[in-house]
Every structure is written in structure tokens, then in C-alpha cells.
């Protein structure tokens, strides 16, 4: 059988090598329009920042290896221009020679990826305005900074690529501003969780402007540029990176009459077959079914692309393999010293999909607090009335990815919050606590569902009626003096049992503390003494994140490095 593959990076290269491992006799032709195959897109920002110093390290698999070890006919700089589905032939342009030729196939796998969005705005095509997708973009950005002595950069779009580039441009010594059209960066998180990232970027000298899209770019007399933002502000920059999301590269498929799906993606079934049974498609170009909402959606991530390439290869050879119940979009982001990770749907997405949910917040330490170096992780878990996990988010310095990976695995196995309670995870003081943060999420979620801990949420506070409520902060007096939720009166937990008579039994008692743990104990005391009570999920820490709706985070001026 002769199989042609369009696109030689994540999905395409995975499909090609899997095909060879399964079928020594197959003729495999890998057509890639660019100069490089199987490169590390995900590592590109770190080359700009100098973390990855050698550009050869960006190439995951050498071209020669694919050719020699896997006997794959790899053709870089060969762009597929069209597909004749009746004749099962491709028209290809060799970009080195300019020659056009035809290539036949028995089966075709499309993995053309997604292209960065470039808005149709004045100045968006000026020299110095970049998008980042491949190695050539990276090298161009790198040399532009060097050749033009760039000192200021504007990153338009606060998604994963935008934030990673902001960090790496800062590492490179540039003054960096991130402008984001939405009211938050890092869209996979909810706003209150993303506030940790906004703050952290500013602490590391990166300015963040929210609700500020790009309106136009003009060239200045001194050779720099000025970007006009939709909030009316102007930002001067020697380099502007447009990281405004990606759109599926479905033009080739569309011209061949293949069916398209949401967002102009290539429509595929669960086997990654397109509307033509001899053509498969994978990766960023296709839409997938969400594990949680079961709706079709776009999840442009490397993990799914690689696994889909593998599965499509097996199906091309006659298997009927699927990726299981759907894609959950597990992702992780480094932001200077912070890690932000998530899996499943966030609260915004659940609301938009009309899926009923419950939630809990915890802010535990990454490992036993008595062992040096522990740091706080802020975590949020979303689940339904039966305890089925719908999504999770975590932001912190240490151990964030492993917690979200554990929850992602439980979700994939259709687990519930009760499974999180029971998870037996490895423990020693340098790594975790005997009650791991994942267990803590399970405990609090299960307590909410069983009615052991009635909760209220920070966003409900403004709507609570003071006539019918008692508001207590059960932290220590020192803590409550430092900061508390407005209107909450300090009654330290250890005095609560002795002062119950001071509380009006006809009213609902709303309790808070720093992170929700002492509030939980107070709630248990009050419940067992006949009070109607609710504990603030995540305590003051969640309140402070939730009530922060700033649109500008000025980058702090950092001391010059010696
Ligand atoms: C800067 C950056 C950082 C990223 N970081 C992460 C990360 O940390 N984690 C993560 O999960 N994901 C990350 N991603 C996303 C991840 O790289 C993609 O999800 C993944 O590469 C998609 O694989 P793909 O095979 O669908 O497309 P790609 O890897 O984009 O490959 C598609 C290839 O097809 C080629 N092609 C297109 N049309 C044709 C044609 N007509 N003829 C021949 N060739 C063609 C293109 O030149 C391209 O090389 C990042 C992406 C970028 C750009």
C-alpha cells in the first residue's frame, strides 16, 4: 500500500513512523512544505529566550533518521497544492526547483496543522511584526532583535504562545507588554486563577493590558513602531508578536471537497477518517469531541496531534481504533517561576455549554510545610452532582503538573471526586503531604456533595442580605487585621465554641478564614450546634483573586542584573 502524508511535524511524523513500525512493506511518502520536519514547535519560545541555545536541538527527529531507519520517502520543501480524489493523486510543487509533479496514493493522511491568525489591520504586515509557528519564524525573530537592537516588545494575545514569548523576550532583556483582547490571559483558566498569572508577569517586569486588543500599527520616525490598542492606549515597540490564536489549515481539504466542521476545521469521525474514506486527517487541522461536553471543538495541542497521528496510521492499515471518549485538553504553561495547568472544561466553558456544575477551591502547600521549600498551590475543581469530574485548574510553583495529571487520568477513567478522596499517591515530606492536594480536592468536593460542608462562593458575597446573615472571619486577629472580606467580623476559631451565644440563631452564618480549612472546622462546630452555616470555598485567598478585576498590571521595574 502507498500512503502519502501531508505535513511532517507532530501528527504527520507520528503517523509516518507508526506506519513503518506496523508495516514493513508500505510505501510511505511524507510531504512537508517547509524546510524542517519533526521540529519542536513547543520549544521555539525557549530558543528566543536563550534557554535552548543550539538550534539543532529544536529538531526532534533528523531527516536522515526518518529516511534511513524508517525508510520513509521524506520530501521537505514539497508543498501539496491539490488533491484529485477521483484519481487519488496529489499535485505537488517542489519549492527548491519550482517543479510541479503528481503523486499517487492509496491512502492519504492530512496533518497540515493550524496557521497563526494575522489580523487585517493597518501595519500588521510591517517588518518587525511577527507570528510564531515554525523554526524560520524563530530564527527571524532572533536575528531581528539582534540586528535592530530591539529593546521593547509588544506581545498581542495572552494565550500560551504569547505568555511563553513574553517570558522569553523578557529573559532576552527586552521591556515587554502583553495586550489581550479578553478580560484575562491564559484562556484555559478561569479569570480568578488567571489573576495569579497576571500578577506574576507584572512581578517579573512584564506589563499586562487586559480588554485591550490591537487596533493598528504605525511606523515611527526613529524606525520603531507604535501600536494603538482598542482601550485607546499606545504602546511603542521595536518588535510586535501577534499571537492571537490559530486557525486550522483546511484549505487543501476544502478545495478537494472534503467536509469541514467547527471553526473551518476538517471534519473527521472517531477513526480520524474524513468524509472520503481513503483520506484521514489529524492534529490542529481537525475538530475533536470534548470528553466533557461531547461537543465538537478545536484543541490545538501537541499531545492529541501525536496520538491522533498514531491512531490514524493504525486505522489506515485496517484497525478501527479511536482516541476513546474524547479529548480533554490537558495543558501546562510555565510563567517564570509559576506553573499553570488545567484539564477538562473550565467554569466559563461549562456555563457556555449549559452544563450544571459544582466547584471547590483549595490552596494547599506543594509538600509538607515543615520540609523546606514548600509553596502554595491554588487549585479549583469542577464536578457534577454525582461527583463526576468536569475539569481542574492549578497554579503554583511546584508540583502543579503532577496534580493536574493525576486528575486528568482519573477523568479519563470516568472517575469521581470520591476517587480523588481515595487516591493513594506517593508521599514523603519533600514531595507531598500524607493528604495530597489531590486528596484535599476530593475531600472538600465530597463534603460539599454530602452536605458535610455547605459552601458559598466569593462571587455571591455582594448579593448576601446582611439582615439575614452573620459574617465571621475565624482567622486569628492578626490575620484578619491584615486583610479580610469586607463586612466580616473576626471571631477566632479557637474562641468559637465559647462564644456561640453571641450569634443569632435565626440567621445564616457565613464563615471564612485564609484558605477555607479553619472555616470548615468552624462550619462543623456550628452545624452540630444547630446553626445554618456556609463556609467560603477557598477562603480569603479565593476572595482576593475573585474580586480582582484590574485591566492593567504594570510590570515592576526590576533591578539590573550585575
Ligand atoms: C510556538 C509554539 C509553542 C507550542 N507549545 C505547545 C506546548 O507547549 N504544548 C502543546 O501541547 N502544544 C504546543 N504547541 C502546539 C503544537 O505544536 C501543535 O498542536 C502541534 O504541532 C500540531 O501538530 P500538527 O501535526 O497538527 O501540525 P504542525 O505540527 O503544525 O505540522 C503541520 C505541518 O504541515 C505542513 N503543511 C501544511 N500544509 C501543507 C501542504 N499543503 N503541503 C505540505 N506540507 C504542509 C506545515 O508546514 C507544518 O510543518 C505549540 C505551538 C507553537 C507554534
Amino acid at each position: 500500500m502507498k500512503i502519502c502524508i501531508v505535513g511532517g511535524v507532530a501528527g504527520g511524523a507520528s503517523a509516518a513512523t507508526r506506519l513503518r513500525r506496523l508495516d514493513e512493506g508500505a510505501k510511505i511518502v511524507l510531504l512537508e512544505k517547509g524546510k524542517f520536519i519533526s521540529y519542536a514547535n513547543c520549544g521555539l519560545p525557549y530558543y528566543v529566550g536563550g534557554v535552548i541555545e543550539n538550534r539543532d536541538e529544536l529538531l526532534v527527529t533528523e531527516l536522515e533518521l526518518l529516511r534511513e531507519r524508517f525508510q520513509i520517502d521524506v520530501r521537505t520543501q514539497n508543498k501539496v497544492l491539490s488533491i484529485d480524489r477521483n484519481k487519488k493523486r496529489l499535485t505537488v510543487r517542489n519549492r527548491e526547483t519550482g517543479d510541479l509533479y503528481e503523486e499517487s496514493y492509496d491512502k492519504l493522511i492530512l496533518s497540515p496543522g493550524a496557521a497563526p491568525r494575522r489580523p487585517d489591520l493597518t501595519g500588521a504586515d510591517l517588518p518587525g511584526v511577527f507570528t510564531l509557528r515554525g523554526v524560520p519564524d524563530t530564527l527571524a525573530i532572533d536575528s531581528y532583535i539582534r540586528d535592530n537592537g530591539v529593546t521593547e516588545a509588544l506581545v498581542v494575545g495572552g494565550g500560551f504562545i504569547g505568555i511563553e514569548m513574553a517570558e522569553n523576550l523578557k529573559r532576552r532583556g527586552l521591556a515587554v507588554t502583553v495586550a489581550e483582547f479578553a478580560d484575562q490571559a491564559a484562556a484555559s483558566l478561569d479569570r480568578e486563577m488567571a489573576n495569579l498569572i497576571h500578577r506574576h508577569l507584572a512581578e517579573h517586569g512584564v506589563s499586562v493590558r487586559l480588554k485591550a486588543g490591537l487596533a493598528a500599527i504605525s511606523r515611527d520616525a526613529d524606525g520603531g513602531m507604535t501600536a494603538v490598542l482598542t482601550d485607546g492606549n499606545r504602546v511603542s515597540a521595536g518588535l510586535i508578536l501577534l499571537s492571537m490564536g490559530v486557525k486550522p489549515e483546511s484549505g487543501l481539504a476544502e478545495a478537494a471537497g472534503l467536509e469541514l466542521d467547527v471553526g473551518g476545521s476538517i471534519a473527521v469521525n472517531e477513526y480520524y477518517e474524513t468524509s472520503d474514506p481513503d483520506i484521514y486527517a489529524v492534529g490542529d487541522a481537525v475538530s475533536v469531541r470534548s470528553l466533557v461536553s461531547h461537543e465538537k471543538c478545536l484543541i490545538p495541542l501537541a499531545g492529541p496531534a501525536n496520538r491522533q497521528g498514531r491512531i490514524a496510521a493504525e486505522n489506515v492499515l485496517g484497525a478501527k481504533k479511536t482516541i476513546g471518549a474524547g479529548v480533554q485538553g490537558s495543558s501546562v504553561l510555565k510563567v517564570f517561576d509559576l506553573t499553570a495547568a488545567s484539564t477538562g472544561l473550565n467554569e466559563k466553558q461549562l456555563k457556555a455549554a449549559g452544563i450544571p456544575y459544582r466547584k471547590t477551591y483549595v490552596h494547599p502547600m506543594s509538600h509538607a510545610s515543615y520540609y523546606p521549600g514548600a509553596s502554595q498551590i491554588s487549585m479549583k475543581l469542577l464536578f457534577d452532582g454525582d461527583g463526576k469530574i468536569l475539569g481542574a485548574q492549578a497554579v503554583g510553583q511546584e508540583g502543579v503538573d503532577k496534580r493536574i495529571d493525576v486528575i486528568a487520568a482519573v477523568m479519563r477513567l470516568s472517575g469521581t471526586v470520591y476517587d480523588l478522596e481515595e487516591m493513594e499517591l506517593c508521599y514523603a515530606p519533600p514531595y507531598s503531604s500524607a493528604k495530597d492536594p489531590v486528596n484535599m480536592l476530593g475531600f472538600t468536593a465530597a463534603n460539599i456533595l454530602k452536605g458535610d460542608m455547605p459552601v458559598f462562593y466569593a462571587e455571591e458575597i455582594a448579593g448576601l442580605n446582611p439582615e439575614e446573615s452573620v459574617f465571621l472571619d475565624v482567622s486569628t486577629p492578626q490575620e484578619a487585621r491584615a486583610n479580610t472580606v469586607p463586612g466580616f467580623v473576626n471571631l477566632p476559631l479557637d474562641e468559637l465554641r465559647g462564644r456561640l451565644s453571641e450569634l443569632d440563631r435565626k440567621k445564616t452564618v457565613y464563615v471564612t478564614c485564609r484558605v477555607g480549612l479553619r472555616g470548615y472546622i468552624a462550619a462543623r462546630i456550628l452545624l452540630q450546634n444547630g446553626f445554618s452555616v456556609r463556609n467560603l470555598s477557598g477562603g480569603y485567598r479565593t476572595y482576593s483573586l475573585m474580586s480582582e478585576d484590574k485591566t492593567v498590571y504594570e510590570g515592576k521595574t526590576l533591578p539590573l542584573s550585575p
Side-chain angles (χ1 to χ4, degrees):
M1 186 180 335
K2 179 174 174 189
I3 303 128
C4 287
I5 301 171
V6 181
V9 191
S14 293
T17 50
R18 183 72 177 154
L19 280 168
R20 174 57 71 229
R21 285 194 292 271
L22 294 175
D23 186 349
E24 269 296 286
K27 176 158 177 49
I28 307 164
V29 182
L30 186 64
L31 298 152
E32 167 55 55
K33 71 179 175 185
K35 273 190 190 162
F36 305 96
I37 48 117
S38 194
Y39 58 85
N41 329 42
C42 312
L44 301 177
Y46 301 98
Y47 181 80
V48 175
V51 181
I52 298 171
E53 291 176 1
N54 182 351
R55 59 186 260 190
D56 292 343
E57 284 169 21
L58 294 172
L59 305 178
V60 179
T61 311
E62 297 287 340
L63 194 116
E64 286 68 31
L65 186 90
L66 283 188
R67 284 189 178 143
E68 284 159 25
R69 184 176 297 169
F70 290 93
Q71 294 292 300
I72 292 165
D73 180 355
V74 184
R75 301 183 203 162
T76 51
Q77 304 248 59
N78 277 250
K79 180 175 182 179
V80 177
L81 301 180
S82 63
I83 307 167
D84 183 334
R85 289 165 52 202
N86 292 326
K87 293 190 189 147
K88 295 175 84 170
R89 293 182 86 78
L90 306 174
T91 303
V92 187
R93 180 184 299 282
N94 182 326
R95 296 171 108 181
E96 267 170 335
T97 62
D99 292 344
L100 275 185
Y101 64 94
E102 290 198 348
E103 192 70 46
S104 66
Y105 65 85
D106 296 315
K107 298 279 182 188
L108 177 64
I109 299 177
L110 303 176
S111 188
R117 290 184 186 278
R118 200 176 251 273
D120 186 17
L121 291 174
T122 312
D125 51 359
L126 284 172
V129 181
F130 293 89
T131 56
L132 176 61
R133 177 175 184 186
V135 176
D137 303 323
T138 315
L139 301 180
I141 291 171
D142 182 53
S143 48
Y144 190 87
I145 293 173
R146 207 170 327 105
D147 298 347
N148 295 279
V150 175
T151 55
E152 291 172 313
L154 170 67
V155 174
V156 182
F160 282 11
I161 295 174
I163 293 177
E164 288 174 356
M165 280 299 286
E167 172 177 344
N168 280 288
L169 290 166
K170 189 77 209 169
R171 281 185 65 93
R172 187 83 184 240
L174 276 63
V176 182
T177 300
V178 176
E180 165 59 56
F181 184 72
D183 68 347
Q184 65 163 96
S188 61
L189 305 175
D190 288 311
R191 164 81 204 234
E192 74 280 16
M193 303 296 282
N195 278 339
L196 289 162
I197 293 182
H198 306 147
R199 290 177 187 176
H200 194 70
L201 283 166
E203 278 160 18
H204 283 77
V206 173
S207 293
V208 180
R209 297 188 169 273
L210 304 172
K211 296 189 184 172
L214 178 65
I217 304 170
S218 58
R219 176 68 70 203
D220 301 338
D222 65 359
M225 290 176 284
T226 297
V228 182
L229 304 181
T230 52
D231 66 358
N233 281 299
R234 293 166 171 269
V235 179
S236 57
L239 178 141
I240 297 178
L241 178 80
L242 305 175
S243 51
M244 305 166 75
V246 295
K247 60 176 187 315
E249 286 230 22
S250 52
L252 189 61
E254 186 179 17
L258 295 176
E259 273 175 32
L260 298 189
D261 210 324
V262 291
S265 58
I266 305 174
V268 290
N269 62 16
E270 68 266 45
Y271 307 115
Y272 297 98
E273 288 165 0
T274 64
S275 50
D276 180 330
D278 291 319
I279 305 180
Y280 291 71
V282 298
D284 289 0
V286 306
S287 42
V288 290
R289 212 162 275 289
S290 157
L291 179 75
V292 178
S293 71
H294 311 297
E295 299 289 329
K296 281 292 196 82
C297 58
L298 301 174
I299 300 189
L301 290 171
N306 276 278
R307 287 195 304 282
Q308 290 161 9
R310 223 178 118 85
I311 290 172
E314 295 184 24
N315 292 344
V316 159
L317 297 175
K320 277 284 178 195
K321 208 167 161 192
T322 73
I323 206 162
V327 178
Q328 63 201 94
S330 304
S331 60
V332 64
L333 170 69
K334 176 182 179 302
V335 194
F336 295 98
D337 305 328
L338 277 189
T339 302
S342 66
T343 187
L345 296 189
N346 59 36
E347 195 173 348
K348 288 172 303 200
Q349 292 166 325
L350 290 170
K351 272 190 188 143
I355 299 173
Y357 64 90
R358 309 293 305 270
K359 61 175 177 175
T360 186
Y361 295 90
V362 296
H363 304 278
M365 299 309 278
S366 54
H367 61 250
S369 48
Y370 59 80
Y371 186 89
S375 55
Q376 195 169 37
I377 309 180
S378 290
M379 305 177 84
K380 175 176 183 178
L381 184 75
L382 297 143
F383 49 97
D384 72 11
D386 295 325
K388 189 173 168 216
I389 303 166
L390 305 173
Q393 301 158 50
V395 182
Q397 290 186 17
E398 183 196 67
V400 168
D401 49 337
K402 82 167 170 171
R403 271 55 188 236
I404 291 297
D405 277 344
V406 168
I407 298 170
V410 174
M411 273 184 82
R412 168 100 353 215
L413 302 173
S414 306
T416 66
V417 300
Y418 306 111
D419 295 306
L420 300 187
E421 283 188 286
E422 300 298 327
M423 293 303 289
E424 186 181 322
L425 302 169
C426 51
Y427 160 64
Y431 303 102
S432 183
S433 300
K435 290 176 191 153
D436 188 89
V438 169
N439 299 131
M440 298 298 289
L441 277 176
F443 297 150
T444 56
N447 280 341
I448 291 171
L449 290 177
K450 288 186 284 191
D452 289 347
M453 183 180 69
V455 283
F456 69 109
Y457 297 104
E459 61 271 29
E460 295 170 5
I461 292 173
L464 297 177
N465 183 353
E467 302 296 318
E468 297 165 3
S469 318
V470 175
F471 298 121
L472 294 184
D473 183 341
V474 297
S475 313
T476 65
Q478 295 88 323
E479 288 168 330
R481 259 198 308 277
N483 40 42
T484 190
V485 181
F488 278 62
V489 175
N490 183 226
L491 197 171
L493 174 63
D494 294 338
E495 296 176 22
L496 179 63
R497 284 190 186 86
R499 295 176 57 186
L500 290 177
S501 59
E502 296 175 26
L503 305 176
D504 186 344
R505 287 182 175 275
K506 292 198 228 60
K507 297 184 175 178
T508 301
V509 185
Y510 292 90
V511 286
T512 187
C513 60
R514 297 303 88 187
V515 296
L517 183 56
R518 280 171 287 173
Y520 166 51
I521 301 166
R524 293 302 305 157
I525 295 171
L526 290 164
L527 276 173
Q528 292 177 68
N529 280 280
F531 286 87
S532 160
V533 61
R534 299 199 182 287
N535 178 31
L536 178 60
S537 184
Y540 179 80
R541 173 127 175 112
T542 299
Y543 170 81
S544 80
L545 293 171
M546 187 68 85
S547 54
E548 181 170 298
D549 60 356
K550 284 162 57 166
T551 52
V552 177
Y553 291 77
E554 289 295 351
K556 298 214 169 93
T557 311
L558 299 177
L560 291 173
S561 12

